[in-house]
Amino acid sequence: MNLNTRLFKIMLEITLKITLSMAIFSCFHINTTLGAEYDYLKFTNPFIKKVPIAVPELRNINDHPMGIELTRRGADTLSSNLAFTGFFKLLDRNAFLIDSQKNELMPSNIKFKNWTAIRAEYLVTGGITVFEDDLIQTEFRLYDTFRGKLIIGKRYKGWKNDLDRMVRRFSSEIVFNLTGVKGIFNSKIAFISKQSQKKEVYICDFDGSNAQRYTKTRSITLSPAWSSDGKWIAYTSYVRGKPDLYIRNIMQKHGVVIRKKGSNITPDWVPGRFELAASLSFSGDPEIYLLTGKGKVIKRLTNNKGIDISPSWSPDGRKMAFVSKRAGTPQLYIKEIFSGDLQRLTFVGKQNTQPCWSPKGDRIAYSGMQHGLNQILVISSKGGDPVQLTFEGDNESPSWSPDGNLIVFSSTREGVSRIYVMTAIGTDQRRLLALPGVQSEPSWSPAFSNN
Amino acid sequence: MRKSLMIVLTLVFILPGLLTTVSCTQKKAGVKPTDKGISEADQAALNAKKQQDIEEARIRAEQEQKARMIAEAKERFLTDNVHFAYDSAVLTPIAQNVLNQKADWLRSNPSGNVTIGGHCDERGTIEYNVALGERRAEAAKKHLIDLGIDAGRLEAISYGEEMPIATENNEEAWAQNRRAQFIIK
């Protein structure tokens, strides 16, 4: 252990020189008996039959006093991350047949019968070693209890404060290994918060934590939209007295303003490109245009007198869903960009707006008005009958999680508008956060590969 | 309104009375020279002064009334909103009538440039309402241009559902909020 620590410190110094502020210094793959191939969870409705999973407290490997709090927090964060996805049923730790601090959780000592007996289909174990200077090493393992096999194991090193990020990384590994889709734990959510009649863009983590104000417009600001690499954000703001479109680099905060005559609204980035569609009304009525990330018009995408707004791109960038009032009421349409073919998607209801194309490509979420209130509905991108997901209060602005398994939206079900999240089939609806004032228009970022 | 009526009444009934009184005094002065030492010339000057005061009061009242009417017209211009049906930017006959009065004001105030704010009730989604509000503001603007108002004096801006004037959650409040509202720049 001593040698290990010394080696670690040497390595650490080198890493520090190279990466400066990189949070987690290293990550090792723990050899697994299985290869890369593994059966993914295949359920028609994974959110209805949740997978029972056991996450005991992490082991305090070198019995460091600081480890007591860290091991508990690590397991709690891991549990809440997994619960957030809607896939898992977290088993009650009190029902476990073992003591987590004893040797029963050592990789070589695990008795899978203890876990299958309480119907846990998966088991996640982990441990923390605390070094000097607030440095820690964590290790995590995911087991299939019925097959009695290790699926994946990882070891991370970093500062004590990086524990949550290490846990997020392994949470992503679990979800990726079990579902085949990258998790959402590194994603962020942008939204609008209104206080004292001003609306600003805020950004929080996937679970609503760490909400921070992003804009300082002291004005009305609307409709934030992420570029597909997560590096740019576009939004509408009245900073100069009317609705103009702002395109900004998230980190460096530089960017451009599109302030043509009329309204410049409802941006949506083209997947994989530094281009976006937005509705501009300089020609006299709102039409959708394709723009470069620097704000230059590439081409006009709609041509119809009246309202054409709210573009939403299919994941392959070949089609665009949007809202048009061409048939008398606002309805969703899909335009095939190269052929120009146009199809009306919604026929039920007098106001269907805010389409959001799912990252899986098969479905489109939107807001449909019923009895004067908006509800979130989902419809196949090929058309058909919509499925209503919300029923209480006014619900607007659906936005898919990057894995397509969750939908974030705003709701007035508990009073003023707040940000909520639910699974793609409408289960597990819960409030994500509540800040002073009123929150609206959430927009889920793409999955960031690294934090 | 009642105040101005009072002033008109004052002008109609009391002024002629005063004038009669004055003419009587003049007659008396002419027949019987005063023994209090006021000469006829002084008396004439006094009368002229009185006449002048009365005339000035009348002009002042007229001016005040005119100013009040201008202020009222401006107030109406700013507060009489153009209202719309739900999810509609079509100008109803009542809306057109309100806009005709706006045009009158704009004609008699040729230096006034205005912003026409398009607003919606809260029921539509936020971004759709920005588009709908713009259609409303543009419909009002187009009507004024058709009435001969210079387009350069009119700017249409949509505020969507962001600036309600009534915050209740009922049809009456929604109807008030669905509007084109004028602001003088």
Side-chain angles (χ1 to χ4, degrees):
Chain A
M1 188 56 83
N2 252 344
L3 182 70
N4 266 348
T5 316
R6 211 172 300 146
L7 275 173
F8 168 53
K9 279 198 159 179
I10 292 164
M11 189 202 69
L12 183 67
E13 276 170 29
I14 297 164
T15 322
L16 268 175
K17 276 173 192 159
I18 299 166
T19 59
L20 285 172
S21 64
M22 195 180 145
I24 300 170
F25 305 124
S26 59
C27 154
F28 301 103
H29 191 81
I30 297 167
N31 282 334
T32 55
T33 49
L34 293 167
E37 282 172 49
Y38 192 78
D39 291 338
Y40 294 133
L41 296 172
K42 276 179 194 145
F43 302 111
T44 46
N45 262 333
F47 307 112
I48 287 175
K49 190 194 173 296
K50 291 183 189 242
V51 179
I53 190 166
V55 183
E57 262 178 41
L58 308 184
R59 283 182 305 130
N60 187 355
I61 293 174
N62 61 345
D63 277 329
H64 195 284
M66 209 191 277
I68 298 165
E69 191 257 331
L70 290 177
T71 50
R72 193 171 303 133
R73 205 179 84 214
D76 288 348
T77 310
L78 186 55
S79 298
S80 58
N81 285 356
L82 294 175
F84 190 88
T85 64
F87 287 134
F88 301 101
K89 181 188 171 201
L90 274 295
L91 296 175
D92 182 2
R93 267 182 225 154
N94 294 324
F96 296 170
L97 306 174
I98 56 103
D99 176 350
S100 65
Q101 293 310 328
K102 290 193 179 148
N103 289 335
E104 287 134 349
L105 285 173
M106 296 274 285
S108 50
N109 294 350
I110 288 173
K111 295 187 180 66
F112 292 105
K113 273 186 186 169
N114 283 340
W115 300 102
T116 54
I118 59 163
R119 304 195 185 285
E121 291 181 22
Y122 296 94
L123 166 68
V124 185
T125 66
I128 300 180
T129 314
V130 182
F131 302 113
E132 297 161 43
D133 306 329
D134 286 349
L135 290 164
I136 58 170
Q137 174 178 284
T138 58
E139 55 182 72
F140 298 97
R141 290 176 176 81
L142 169 68
Y143 297 96
D144 180 328
T145 55
F146 283 89
R147 293 189 194 182
K149 279 179 177 170
L150 176 67
I151 299 170
I152 184 164
K154 289 273 178 181
R155 201 171 280 140
Y156 307 101
K157 287 175 181 175
W159 302 113
K160 186 184 76 162
N161 291 342
D162 296 326
L163 177 63
D164 284 358
R165 297 164 100 164
M166 297 179 190
V167 169
R168 277 184 192 176
R169 276 211 190 174
F170 195 70
S171 305
S172 293
E173 295 289 352
I174 293 171
V175 171
F176 180 70
N177 277 275
L178 297 185
T179 68
V181 180
K182 276 185 186 162
I184 54 166
F185 305 109
N186 288 333
S187 64
K188 304 216 174 252
I189 294 168
F191 59 95
I192 300 295
S193 188
K194 179 181 179 183
Q195 283 175 56
S196 340
Q197 302 309 309
K198 308 286 184 231
K199 284 185 160 188
E200 303 283 0
V201 176
Y202 279 63
I203 297 177
C204 66
D205 289 350
F206 75 99
D207 58 357
S209 59
N210 299 321
Q212 287 185 326
R213 195 183 64 196
Y214 176 69
T215 59
K216 265 185 246 171
T217 63
R218 294 186 180 90
S219 177
I220 297 165
T221 301
L222 306 169
S223 314
W226 299 84
S227 66
S228 68
D229 63 1
K231 289 181 181 159
W232 296 81
I233 199 160
Y235 55 85
T236 291
S237 184
Y238 283 72
V239 178
R240 294 169 208 229
K242 68 179 208 49
D244 295 323
L245 195 64
Y246 291 74
I247 301 172
R248 292 176 72 181
N249 183 287
I250 294 266
M251 299 306 288
Q252 290 148 35
K253 297 210 167 184
H254 63 78
V256 295
V257 189
I258 298 165
R259 46 193 195 113
K260 294 182 185 294
K261 186 175 152 290
S263 303
N264 304 282
I265 59 170
T266 65
D268 190 57
W269 294 82
V270 184
R273 303 178 78 102
F274 188 52
E275 290 173 4
L276 69 167
S279 181
L280 316 178
S281 68
F282 63 86
S283 73
D285 72 310
E287 299 284 357
I288 298 170
Y289 295 82
L290 183 64
L291 308 164
T292 67
K294 301 211 162 178
K296 211 173 137 246
V297 172
I298 300 170
K299 64 173 171 177
R300 183 168 166 169
L301 298 175
T302 59
N303 198 340
N304 155 66
K305 201 172 172 334
I307 293 173
D308 292 290
I309 55 163
S310 303
S312 177
W313 291 96
S314 64
D316 62 9
R318 290 181 175 177
K319 293 175 183 173
M320 176 187 81
F322 66 102
V323 172
S324 179
K325 212 180 178 181
R326 61 191 67 199
T329 57
Q331 299 292 342
L332 306 192
Y333 293 79
I334 291 179
K335 180 168 179 133
E336 215 279 325
I337 298 300
F338 297 108
S339 69
D341 284 351
L342 187 75
Q343 266 191 319
R344 181 169 165 178
L345 187 65
T346 54
F347 294 89
V348 183
K350 285 187 178 158
Q351 253 194 44
N352 293 310
T353 60
Q354 299 183 319
C356 183
W357 208 309
S358 83
K360 292 174 183 171
D362 56 342
R363 284 182 291 174
I364 290 168
Y366 64 97
S367 305
M369 191 175 284
Q370 293 171 2
H371 316 295
L373 294 173
N374 287 290
Q375 299 299 345
I376 308 296
L377 297 98
V378 168
I379 190 169
S380 163
S381 54
K382 294 186 171 67
D385 292 332
V387 178
Q388 186 176 341
L389 302 185
T390 60
F391 297 88
E392 213 185 324
D394 182 76
N395 299 277
E396 298 188 15
S397 302
S399 175
W400 297 87
S401 61
D403 63 356
N405 288 321
L406 298 168
I407 297 172
V408 67
F409 59 102
S410 69
S411 178
T412 62
R413 64 188 62 186
E414 289 174 290
V416 299
S417 177
R418 302 270 191 227
I419 308 298
Y420 287 72
V421 69
M422 63 182 164
T423 68
I425 61 162
T427 55
D428 298 298
Q429 299 197 10
R430 60 228 126 109
R431 197 179 68 212
L432 199 64
L433 82 170
L435 299 180
V438 177
Q439 285 82 52
S440 59
E441 296 191 290
S443 173
W444 215 315
S445 81
F448 294 101
S449 55
N450 223 323
N451 58 347
Chain B
M1 210 51 192
R2 193 172 292 169
K3 245 186 191 171
S4 55
L5 190 68
M6 286 296 285
I7 287 163
V8 172
L9 283 176
T10 313
L11 291 173
V12 172
F13 294 108
I14 302 174
L15 275 184
L18 280 175
L19 287 171
T20 324
T21 323
V22 170
S23 55
C24 285
T25 324
Q26 271 176 334
K27 259 182 203 165
K28 278 179 195 165
V31 172
K32 193 183 170 187
T34 173
D35 51 3
K36 282 181 185 171
I38 298 169
S39 72
E40 268 189 39
D42 284 348
Q43 190 64 46
L46 203 64
N47 290 344
K49 177 80 170 64
K50 269 186 186 168
Q51 277 283 18
Q52 199 186 339
D53 285 352
I54 290 159
E55 181 65 12
E56 275 173 10
R58 191 182 62 80
I59 291 168
R60 210 179 305 124
E62 260 177 20
Q63 280 172 343
E64 276 171 14
Q65 195 187 2
K66 201 176 166 191
R68 204 171 296 118
M69 278 167 71
I70 289 169
E72 280 169 6
K74 188 176 175 183
E75 181 68 13
R76 272 200 307 278
F77 183 82
L78 294 173
T79 55
D80 280 5
N81 294 330
V82 182
H83 291 288
F84 296 86
Y86 173 67
D87 193 20
S88 171
V90 174
L91 298 172
T92 62
I94 296 168
Q96 291 184 23
N97 195 30
V98 175
L99 284 167
N100 295 345
Q101 287 167 30
K102 304 280 186 222
D104 289 344
W105 188 89
L106 286 162
R107 275 190 217 103
S108 44
N109 296 275
S111 63
N113 289 349
V114 298
T115 298
I116 308 170
H119 301 264
C120 301
D121 70 33
E122 63 186 3
R123 286 177 292 174
T125 50
I126 287 168
E127 50 195 58
Y128 175 70
N129 279 339
V130 178
L132 179 60
E134 183 176 45
R135 300 315 294 154
R136 287 176 176 162
E138 286 289 344
K141 180 179 168 182
K142 184 176 177 299
H143 187 82
L144 292 173
I145 293 169
D146 291 347
L147 291 174
I149 306 300
D150 178 10
R153 300 175 61 194
L154 311 167
E155 188 186 15
I157 296 179
S158 174
Y159 296 103
E161 63 177 84
E162 307 301 328
M163 295 168 118
I165 45 178
T167 51
E168 298 84 31
N169 220 319
N170 55 45
E171 181 47 53
E172 201 183 323
W174 293 330
Q176 278 191 62
N177 291 335
R178 293 191 301 263
R179 69 199 192 275
Q181 185 171 0
F182 284 66
I183 296 166
I184 300 164
K185 282 185 184 173

